[in-house]
Amino acid sequence: MRSRATLLHVVIDVSRQRREIGDLRPISRERNVVLLLGIETSCDDTSAALVATGGRVLANVATNQDAFHARFGGIVPEIAGRQHLSLVAAVIDEALSRADCGLADLDGIAVTAGPGLIGSLVVGVAAARALAFARTLPLYAVQHLHGHLFAPYLGETNVASPAYPLLALLVSGGHTQLVEAESATDIRMLGRTRDDAAGEAFDKTARLLGLPFPGGAALDRLARRGDPRAIAFPRYRPREATFDFSFSGLKTAARRIIEAPDRSSSDADIAASFEAAVVDTLIDRLDRATDRRSYRDVVVSGGVAANSRLRAELCTWGERRGTTIRIPALAYCTDNAAMIAGAALLQGEQIRVEPLDAVADPNLPFSLTPMV
Ligand code: KG4
Ligand code: ZN
């Protein structure tokens, strides 16, 4: 039996949930409206969401396991898998109840199939397979990064639809990628990090500064008190025409400065200068891509898109380039199940699988295999 104590550990992010949804029920009976249950367990957040056609989020419940991993200074895969197992059913129940609907109202289930931690992915995939099989519902296997890519098109009321061609910068704890999309299913990667992900660089530098894990958000707060020009950190700007990223040189430079016995810079100045170097590098790759071709939408998504300096600089950049920038609401920047259901609503049949054929793939490729 599930104990209340377990549920007390759940930090529920009631991000922008709708309470006044009486007018929407039964949503799946409305003409042309599809209601999906999304499930996301690729890393260390157990999340479930109810999302309808047009990216309307009826509920988005995300648990946060940070307290279980903090003392190890990073995510422990074994712990993440076990936490998902103990939370997934409660989180799905909570999402259904907040959306005021039941399994009978669903038109399908969307689940993150990969990439991610295998012990984490299998929990969500097993839950989705079981529900889809038992209720004879369509099952959609979503690539986690496609979820991030379409996260800006989620909201509780009307939101914009993606405009193609679309350029997207996906910046999270595990990934830093620049991608372009001609449609919801024709997506290719332009560049990726050669070493650390942007969020990983934030977390490692934050740790050296004595900030608790995951340190990205704490470093962001610290940086607001510092001078971004105090230290000239290196910016990775390769001469060749590449859209790749690298953050290891910057991370090493930060370590050298933080650990210097005679250091004179304050923590806040180091944080602000480090953050400015990451942001400049990201904006430089957007410049390179938009110099080559114009895009109707430019998306910046993933946990690092929550960074306040990046968000501010992107606004300025968008105005300067005359480009529409789409950044998800904060609740949809970090891992969440609403973005998984949202991606499935856009990609539809191309990612549909037979429930018992769905598999968790920690190395799921980025591009969809063309249908023949
Ligand atoms: O997308 P996400 O929740 O999980 C992954 O798929 O990795 O991203 C988490 C990452 C962490 O590295 C975290 O430190 C970083 O996003 N992050 C931030 C901020 N908020 C979260 N990095 C910089 N500034 C922030 N405000
Ligand atoms: Zn993610």
Side-chain angles (χ1 to χ4, degrees), residues 144 148 172-174 199-200 202-203 214-217 220 302-304 306-307 333-335:
H144 178 80
H148 281 301
S172 73
E200 195 180 353
F202 266 106
D203 292 341
D220 181 349
V304 179
N307 182 267
C333 278
T334 48
D335 288 350

Side-chain angles (χ1 to χ4, degrees), residues 112-141:
T112 306
L117 300 170
I118 183 65
S120 292
L121 289 166
V122 290
V123 177
V125 170
R129 278 170 61 138
L131 283 171
F133 184 70
R135 308 291 310 193
T136 332
L137 285 169
L139 181 60
Y140 303 93

Side-chain angles (χ1 to χ4, degrees), residues 7 16 31 44 75 96 114 125 129 174 225 246 248 285-286 304 313 345:
L7 289 178
R16 304 167 169 266
R31 257 187 348 135
D44 66 332
I75 293 159
L96 287 166
V125 170
R129 278 170 61 138
R225 291 192 273 117
S246 167
S248 66
R285 283 329 95 89
L286 289 180
V304 179
E313 296 262 324
L345 284 163

Side-chain angles (χ1 to χ4, degrees), residues 208-231:
L208 291 172
L209 287 169
L211 300 170
F213 175 84
L219 191 145
D220 181 349
R221 281 191 297 277
L222 179 63
R224 286 176 217 165
R225 291 192 273 117
D227 176 3
R229 288 173 305 273
I231 301 153

